[in-house]
Amino acid sequence: MRHWTKFQLYRDEGVGYYLLLYPRQTKAKVYRLVDGEYRKVGDFQREICPIALPDCTIALDVGKLWSR
């Protein structure tokens, strides 16, 4: 399944966040569902990305995804 097909499927199912991970570039692109469309939150490498859920907010430390 191609990336854009998943993007559309997740959007249609109401998945709140969509993350694209690029291990070689140690980068994550984060999108949030707003008014039925994904809007880019940003590109993250070593930063903390806040993931706001209905009952809490998760501080995703993107830099730890790449540490070994």
Side-chain angles (χ1 to χ4, degrees):
M1 184 180 293
R2 287 186 24 193
H3 148 69
W4 286 110
T5 303
K6 285 184 183 180
F7 204 79
Q8 294 165 343
L9 175 65
Y10 292 176
R11 179 201 61 207
D12 294 347
E13 292 297 323
V15 175
Y17 283 86
Y18 190 85
L19 284 72
L20 294 171
L21 304 178
Y22 299 88
R24 289 186 182 171
Q25 293 89 9
T26 63
K27 179 171 67 174
K29 291 185 179 195
V30 179
Y31 297 84
R32 181 175 183 191
L33 191 63
V34 178
D35 297 327
E37 295 296 329
Y38 280 115
R39 300 225 164 68
K40 190 172 184 181
V41 174
D43 292 340
F44 298 85
Q45 288 185 297
R46 300 191 194 294
E47 302 86 3
I48 302 292
C49 175
I51 305 290
L53 302 174
D55 296 325
C56 68
T57 298
I58 298 169
L60 175 62
D61 188 345
V62 176
K64 288 189 177 186
L65 294 173
W66 320 122
S67 63
R68 293 181 185 239

